[in-house]
Every structure is written in C-alpha cells, then in structure tokens.
C-alpha cells in the first residue's frame, strides 16, 4: 500500500484524551501512515494538559479559543483555519472524534475537499436535538458525511444501521477511553489532592464534575444546593470538584461551594491524576460523557446529572443511574447509596462494556484495510 497521510483533528479535553491513543498507535505504523496532528484548541489549557500527559506535539494549532466563545465562533474559526491546512496538506483521511463543534467543523471542511472522513466514537444517540446540545446534532451531522464509522459498541453500530448507514463501513472497536486508562495507569503522577484523599482515606469521597450547556444556570444551582445539603448532613462525606474553566461555572462554583470545609474546589486536573482520583472515589456525580465510560472500568458508581444519556451500555451494566438535576432527587440518590450497601455494591461491581483497551489498534487496522481495498478498486477501474 502506498503510504497514506492521515490528519487527526481534535480541540477539547475529552477528544484529546480519546484521540491520543489513536495518534500514538498511528505513529507506530510509520511505514504505512504519515500522521498529522491538528489541534483547534477549542479548549486551551484543558487541551494542553492532555497533550502534556500523552507527550503529543501538534503539527498545527489553530488556537481558536476565546473567553465565552459562541458556537458560531468555534464553527467559523475552525472551518476557516482548517480549510487552509487541508489545502496545503491534502490528507488522504481526516479522523474526528465524537460530537464537539471542533469535530463537526473539521469534518465539514474535509467533506468540502472530498477527503475521506473516519469518525471515532460514531453512533451515539439520544435522538433529542437539545439533549445534549449541540452535541446530538453535531454527531448526527458528522455521520451524514462519514466514510468509516468506528462504533464503540454494538448499540452504537445498531443506531447507525437503523439510520441506513452501510454495514460494510461500520466497525465495532471498543472505546479508546479504555486505551487511555491503560496508558495513564502506567504514568502515575503526584498531586496534593491525592495526598489529601490519602490522609482522609476513611472518608467517603464524592467526585463532582459539571459543564454541559443545558445544565448552566438553574440546574447547576440545584445540584450545588444538593451537594451543600449532603456535606452538611453527612460528616463522613468529602466532595471534590475539579471546576471546568468556563467562567460561568467557575463563578457559580466559587460563589456557592467555595466556603465549605468538606467541599474541595480545584482547577481541572491532568488526566493521569484524575484517573487515580476516579479510582479512589466512593461515588461520582457528573454530567460528563467520558466519565460515564471510565467509571465502569474503574468500578465506581455514577449518578448522571442529566435527564437522558446516549450511553445505555453503562445503564445496562448497572454502573450508571440517570438522576436529573432536581435538588431532592440528587440528595435522595446519594443517600440511597449511603444507606443501602447492596445497591452500592451492585453499581460498583458492574462489567466494563467498552472493550479491552485495544480500540486504537483496531481502528488503525480498519483504516489500513479501507485504503488497501480502495487501491484494489482503483486498479480494477
Ligand atoms: C465543549 C464541548 C462539549 C464537551 C466539553 C468538554 C462543544 C459545543 N462542546 O464544551 O461537547 O463535553 O467541551 O469539556 O463542542 N475554557 C477555558 N480554558 C479551557 C477550556 C475552556 O478558559 O481550557 C473556557 C473558555 O472561556 C470557553 C469556555 O470555557 O469559551 C467554554 O468552552 P467551550 O468549548 O465553548 O464549551 P464546553 O462547555 O467546554
Ligand atoms: N477529566 C480530566 N480532568 C478533570 C476532569 C475530567 O482529565 O479535571 C477527564 C475525564 O477523565 C474524562 C474527560 O476529562 O476522560 C471528560 O471530559 P469532560 O467531562 O470535560 O467532557 P465530556 O466527556 O462530557 O465530553
């Protein structure tokens, strides 16, 4: 096979975490692939943290992030910036991930240049365009122009088949987040919050993260009120929140949670440290997508601060419970796990439905097969 140029594009923290293993695996196959890493820096600091941990140096950096950026800002800045890079580099394939606006704009620009698109973590759906917003539309839009679908699970594959996508272009690979966990488990770092958790190892640590657009404002206030109530009522509980750098979230979290002696607010953590913290947490309260996938692999129950999830695998495995954002519901669900040991054990001992940590290898193999097939077809024609 003639050597192919593959551009891997990402811009936010979760995409970086899940694409880093793909980049590392592609680079190992230097005889077959020339790898170009393009970051949009839709996130700046939170992206750079991941690049550091995985030791990845981008070839291009669009540096698009602005304070309080709008969706139109991200879309237009990425589209314009990446268009020039595609023109110059002419990659044979562009790989995008999941459902961010970076991924949507990078895929759209690739389509305009008739470059093949590989979609990692394809096929997740809620079928509600406003939950999560704008991610549900982003991923559906990407999948209308994708050439190769890397579905993390059978359920994701089934969504794509139901939408009429060609079976021959869909591969079930597992989720690359498991590959990332395998990597970070070998690169343990220190952090003073880990020291504090160790010093207070008898306490029950709740890990809290929130950032979704649909939870900004009242839903987030409700959850913070619930968390304050839980900390006040239960001296055995400590709450740790690495606060997303969105200024709206920083402001509200500092204002409402900043003064409590058993609520610990910290800046976003390096993913190597964060995975250790997940592993040592008693329960996770989150609206994050990635955390819903990591927790089953690390045996921690997750109460999902949303009304819907596109990750039914964790529900079926028993690790996740979707609890919404009402104050009383959050309190009730946490207390249920506190008082009902059986319910807790059941959630903590579920099976990881996201694969064996070899998703990136499978993805690269499929890309190779795809190019070999296209070359054969070209020869016939
Ligand atoms: C984005 C993704 C979302 C993903 C989330 C992961 C879209 C539309 N949303 O949402 O799918 O779940 O990332 O975290 O693509 N900021 C910084 N430094 C950083 C990162 C963010 O200062 O390193 C601040 C900036 O002010 C920025 C704001 O956070 O304007 C919001 O970032 P943005 O990427 O627009 O939205 P997220 O909620 O992070
Ligand atoms: N994460 C991290 N540091 C933190 C919080 C989260 O590295 O302080 C990681 C976490 O392990 C997961 C990913 O970030 O892999 C989830 O990102 P986020 O919740 O921002 O986005 P989502 O997954 O909801 O798109």
């Amino acid at each position: 096979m003639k050597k192919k140029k593959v551009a891997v594009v990402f811009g936010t923290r979760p995409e970086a975490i899940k694409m880093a293993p793909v980049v590392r695996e592609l680079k190992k196959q230097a005889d077959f692939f020339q790898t170009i890493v393009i970051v949009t820096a839709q996130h700046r600091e939170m992206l750079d943290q991941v690049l550091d941990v995985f030791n990845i140096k981008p070839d291009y950096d669009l540096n698009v992030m602005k304070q309080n950026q709008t969706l139109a800002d991200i879309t237009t800045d990425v589209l314009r910036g990446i268009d020039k890079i595609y023109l110059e580099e002419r990659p044979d394939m562009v790989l995008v991930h999941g459902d961010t606006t970076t991924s949507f704009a990078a895929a759209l620009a690739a389509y305009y240049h008739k470059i093949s698109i590989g979609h990692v973590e394809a096929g997740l759906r809620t079928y509600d365009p406003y939950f999560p917003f704008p991610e549900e539309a982003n991923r559906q839009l990407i999948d209308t122009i994708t050439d190769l679908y890397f579905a993390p699970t059978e359920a994701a594959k089934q969504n794509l088949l139901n939408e009429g996508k060609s079976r021959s272009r869909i591969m079930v690979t597992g989720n690359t987040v498991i590959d990332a966990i395998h990597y970070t488990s070998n690169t343990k770092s220190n952090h003073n919050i880990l020291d504090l958790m160790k010093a207070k190892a008898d306490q029950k640590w709740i890990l809290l993260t929130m950032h979704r657009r649909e939870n900004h404002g009242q839903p987030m206030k409700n959850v913070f009120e619930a968390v304050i109530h839980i900390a006040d009522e239960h001296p055995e509980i400590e709450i740790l929140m690495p606060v997303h750098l969105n200024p709206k979230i920083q402001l509200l979290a500092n204002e409402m949670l900043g003064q409590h002696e058993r609520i610990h607010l910290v800046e976003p953590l390096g993913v190597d440290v964060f995975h250790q913290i997940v592993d040592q947490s008693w329960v996770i309260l989150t609206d994050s997508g990635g955390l819903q996938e990591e927790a089953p692999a690390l045996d921690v129950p997750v109460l999902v601060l949303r009304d819907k999830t596109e990750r039914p695998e964790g529900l079926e495995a028993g690790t996740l419970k979707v609890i919404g954002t009402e104050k009383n519901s959050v309190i009730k669900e946490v207390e249920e796990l506190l008082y009902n040991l059986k319910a807790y054990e059941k959630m903590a001992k579920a099976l990881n439905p996201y694969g064996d940590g070899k998703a990136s290898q499978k993805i690269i193999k499929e890309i190779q097969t795809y190019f070999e097939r296209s070359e054969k077809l070209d020869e016939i024609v």
Side-chain angles (χ1 to χ4, degrees), residues 12-14 42-46 65-69 71 74 99-101 134-135 138 211-213 244-247:
T12 66
R13 171 173 66 193
Q42 175 179 335
H43 285 172
R44 182 72 275 170
E45 300 85 346
M46 286 158 59
M65 196 192 84
K66 299 179 191 139
Q67 289 298 298
N68 289 318
Q69 59 207 1
L71 296 172
I74 308 167
D99 53 21
T100 66
T101 295
E135 290 80 6
N138 282 344
H211 73 275
R212 304 232 79 83
R213 273 177 163 71
H244 189 291
L245 292 179
N246 186 325

Side-chain angles (χ1 to χ4, degrees), residues 64 83 114 120 126 162 165 210 219 267 275-276 323 331 341 347 365 368:
V64 302
D83 194 62
K114 298 190 176 158
V120 179
T126 62
N162 294 346
K165 313 294 194 266
M210 270 190 107
E267 293 292 297
H275 284 164
Q276 289 182 66
I323 65 165
I331 296 169
L341 196 63
M347 284 185 85
K365 213 157 175 21
Q368 211 169 326

Side-chain angles (χ1 to χ4, degrees), residues 168-181:
S168 64
R169 292 179 182 267
I170 310 169
M171 298 92 205
V172 177
T173 59
N175 197 308
T176 57
V177 81
I178 306 297
D179 309 20
I181 291 177

Side-chain angles (χ1 to χ4, degrees), residues 13-14 17 177 211-212 242 244 268-271 274-275 287-291 294:
R13 171 173 66 193
I17 292 169
V177 81
H211 73 275
R212 304 232 79 83
H244 189 291
L269 299 162
V271 64
F274 189 79
H275 284 164
D287 62 6
S288 163
L291 260 169
E294 292 167 339

Side-chain angles (χ1 to χ4, degrees), residues 121-181:
E121 203 183 80
L124 274 63
R125 298 287 186 266
T126 62
Y127 291 109
D128 181 336
Y130 291 99
F131 289 91
F133 171 81
E135 290 80 6
E136 181 63 20
N138 282 344
R139 57 197 171 210
Q140 291 198 34
L141 289 164
I142 295 169
D143 283 339
T144 59
I145 50 176
T146 289
D147 294 280
L148 277 184
Y149 301 91
F150 303 112
T153 62
E154 287 294 335
K157 175 180 175 178
Q158 197 52 52
N159 289 336
L160 293 164
L161 288 174
N162 294 346
E163 291 168 18
K165 313 294 194 266
S166 161
R167 187 179 288 275
S168 64
R169 292 179 182 267
I170 310 169
M171 298 92 205
V172 177
T173 59
N175 197 308
T176 57
V177 81
I178 306 297
D179 309 20
I181 291 177

